[in-house]
Amino acid sequence: MTSSAPLIDAPKKGPGRLIAVIVAVVVVLAAVGIAIGVTRGGGDDETVRIGVVGASDPYWADFVQAAADEGITVDLVDYSDYEQPNPALADGEIDLNQFQHIVYLAQYDVASGNDIVPIGSTAIYPLPLYSSKYTKLSDFRQGDTIAIPDDSSNLARALLVLQSNGLVSLKDGGTIFSGVNDVDESKSKVEVATVSADLAATSLPDYAGAIINNDFATKAGLSTDDVIAQDDPNDPSSVPYANVFAARAEDKDDPTYAKLVRIYQDTKAVTDGVVDNSGGTAIITKIPVSDLEESLTETEKLVEQNG
């Protein structure tokens, strides 16, 4: 905002006026100092803006309270879709975000040229296989068809789930970029058909089985008791699918941000809430940051190679 007059008038002759001006300047600087102290960078009560998708999920209120108990004010910034929080973080509109796994982050960094990094893991949401016809893996017959999500990230992951459970074989062992054409039909027990992720649950009766994303499975009333198989969150190959807190690279060692990760991971009300909110499927993780960074580097290389 501009003004035709200066904020503080130029001093007139006489010591009294000069002293008054000096006092005014000191008061203004002190006020600015107080304002800075309650945001990132100083003071006992710091404010951190965290971008999320789904701020109304109950566990976030527990997280905000747990952070406040340790002198950190968390301002949740809710976004309507996954495409918004990373650009907002890169532009400095928020300090952290928490909504994505490493594969998604790697794809964003490579495409945008930005340098956003993981500073702590939160949970892995296994990608499960359901069936309305069978109850165990051995029930599947040669030539059965399993539906898998058609979006690139989940499609590759679904194929890896089927491979790890002996239902398909992928050429060259498979990667996070495997597609339907990479299925070695001569060595696979089942065939695959791609469907929109939001239709996988309703399509379940039409196939021998279906890989269904956690959110859609929960909405369809499916539970963990119905899961026939899923990826193993303890397998190193699952690290790229760990959800993470992310920061700008220059802020990765910020102690306040590290403290917030610890609060999230160690507050029972938060972790219980995350699991409840996922319908019991989420698995809370404490993956070393060095492993997360290594996974991001390797995944970015794969993204570049397949770009």
Side-chain angles (χ1 to χ4, degrees), residues 112-306:
S112 68
N114 288 318
D115 193 8
I116 294 175
V117 298
I119 62 167
S121 64
T122 58
I124 288 179
Y125 298 84
L127 196 59
L129 169 65
Y130 295 91
S131 176
S132 59
K133 299 179 180 179
Y134 305 136
T135 59
K136 56 185 184 295
L137 280 172
S138 59
D139 291 339
F140 285 90
R141 301 173 182 175
Q142 191 72 36
D144 276 342
T145 300
I146 293 178
I148 61 175
D150 62 2
D151 57 288
S152 59
S153 177
N154 283 309
L155 187 153
R157 188 181 180 188
L159 290 172
L160 291 171
V161 170
L162 296 179
Q163 177 172 255
S164 66
N165 287 281
L167 295 176
V168 301
S169 178
L170 298 174
K171 302 168 186 175
D172 299 324
T175 72
I176 60 171
F177 289 100
S178 292
V180 174
N181 291 337
D182 295 309
V183 175
D184 188 334
E185 296 180 358
S186 66
K187 297 180 180 179
S188 298
K189 184 175 185 178
V190 302
E191 299 176 0
V192 295
T194 58
V195 299
S196 177
D198 59 343
L199 298 178
T202 55
S203 300
L204 185 57
D206 300 326
Y207 298 95
I211 297 284
I212 305 174
N213 298 46
N214 172 69
D215 288 345
F216 298 120
T218 301
K219 291 176 182 177
L222 297 169
S223 75
T224 53
D225 294 335
D226 302 313
V227 174
I228 291 180
Q230 61 187 21
D231 40 6
D232 181 1
N234 296 313
D235 188 321
S237 65
S238 294
V239 174
Y241 297 104
N243 279 33
V244 296
F245 275 97
R248 292 178 292 276
E250 61 266 29
D251 297 328
K252 69 176 184 176
D253 297 320
D254 187 294
T256 299
Y257 298 166
K259 189 174 183 180
L260 285 171
V261 171
R262 178 187 60 76
I263 290 170
Y264 187 104
Q265 294 174 340
D266 294 346
T267 303
K268 191 172 187 300
V270 174
T271 55
D272 285 352
V274 171
V275 174
D276 289 344
N277 195 66
S278 71
T281 62
I283 297 175
I284 304 300
T285 63
K286 293 183 180 181
I287 300 170
V289 176
S290 59
D291 289 355
L292 298 176
E293 292 174 335
E294 181 180 354
S295 179
L296 177 64
T297 299
E298 293 175 352
T299 305
E300 286 179 344
K301 290 179 181 177
L302 284 172
V303 172
E304 291 169 348
Q305 292 169 4
N306 289 270

